[in-house]
Amino acid sequence: MTLAAIARLAHGVPPAKVALQGGRIIPVVGEEIAKGTILIENERITALGEHVEVPYDAMVVDVSGKVLFPGMIDPHSSRGLDIANENLPVTPYLDAYDALDPSKLYFEDALRDGITSIHVIVSNNCVIGGLGRVVHPIGLTPDEMTLQPTTGLKIGVSPKQGSDRLVQMATLRETFRELKDYLDKLAEQKYEESLKKKEEEIDVGPDEAIKRGKELVRPEDYDDAHRNLVKLTRGELGAFIYCDRASDVARTIGVAKENGFFTRSVLVLGPDCFKAIDEIKAAGRPIVLFSDLIYRERDPVSGKIAETFVPKVFADAGVAFSLQPNPDASLAERYLNYQASRCVRNGIARKTALESITINPAKAVGVGDRVGSLEVGKIANIVVFNGDPLDFDTWVDLVYIKGIKAYDRTTDVRLKQLLGEEPKEVAEKPEEKKEQPKEKAEEKKSGEEDSAKEAPNKGDKPSDGSEPKKP
């Protein structure tokens, strides 16, 4: 390490240049490098390969024997919010920014698990929810955490809790009908206002007034309740559409096409949506699979339970997909790389599995040009594993976000406590507490022995020679 690099660290300033040297590089896009170097300058990857010239003022980190992998991406999560959903069914004016809680332990766990980008958006229990955003799991404020401030609106075609499909679809259609009425009234109003300024009378019918008025409406004229819906229907905003069942897929595609946001939609699929694989493939939109990758169904005739590994259906059909972690599972499904390893175990190509937790979700949430792979020019979000990312015995050693070390397993106090490897100063305190009762017990014991010596035994005569008193 150079004197310049040492000086920067002494003042708490992250080094402008970092070289991760000697590790195996899995870029996801492109061929693997058995032993190479990644050079980071000002948050971006500027070079990677077997032979990289390291600048004299770069901080060199020896990662020999380690594996360098793109930071994994959670494509759909409400766990970073203080509340998953509002009670109101239609809330397009809400923004995940206002409910984002940087102090959530979820973000700490995400770093520990190698997740460097999270698409935070309201849960599936809605008709039209608020805006989502992509964040890094580190930062003191939502602004510091944000990678992509706006991704799209959450839309639910499958019924929300306490509702049914009739009400869900009726509410959805009514919302877009009301939007059209609002835009027509606003356009007519703007045309009338323009005539008043000229002191002219209205000389056309309502339809013509609406047509002329649309040209006069400015973006700031829309109210908060409709602004995001206007952007959505004009293709200026994406949509993450949740459908729980295969029967909802056709309705999902229909709603998106009818209202002008199909080309910017992402399908968030439920457990049995693989049954509509032909419609999904024809749609050609990015998809996010349900966190439980196995679908179980009982045969109505034989009563036997049949299992389907859902990602295999999509892989066989040539449909790219993104995986979600399952934090509520009792096994290791909370780790994205474990989800990917299950894909390989069930016959899916290794490259396809790795893409499902990196570049595919990055593209789905609109940040594929910045993260999701190790390429020159991309943000240096890098995970350093102690082994192959799809090996069950592998863990995360280091995490770099924007080229800055955000996680180090050797200094993870909470993890050490869970593993029974507390730091020395923490481990000494319980021992001190245990010694105190021991000392008190010894004092109590010695006191009882002294009392026993002083007290006369039963049947002994008092020192004055008289008979002992009967009780």
Side-chain angles (χ1 to χ4, degrees), residues 135-175:
V135 300
H136 290 135
I138 188 169
L140 298 177
T141 66
D143 291 302
E144 287 183 6
M145 300 172 71
T146 298
L147 172 63
Q148 177 69 23
T150 302
T151 55
L153 285 173
K154 184 62 177 291
I155 297 176
V157 172
S158 298
K160 68 189 296 290
Q161 188 175 359
S163 183
D164 55 53
R165 279 173 170 74
L166 289 174
V167 175
Q168 187 84 6
M169 291 304 298
T171 306
L172 200 55
R173 294 190 187 100
E174 178 60 28
T175 300

Side-chain angles (χ1 to χ4, degrees), residues 119 121 129-133 150-154 232 237-240 264:
H119 179 218
I121 194 167
L131 292 171
R133 67 175 41 216
T150 302
T151 55
L153 285 173
K154 184 62 177 291
L232 178 70
L237 197 61
F240 290 79
R264 293 204 60 184

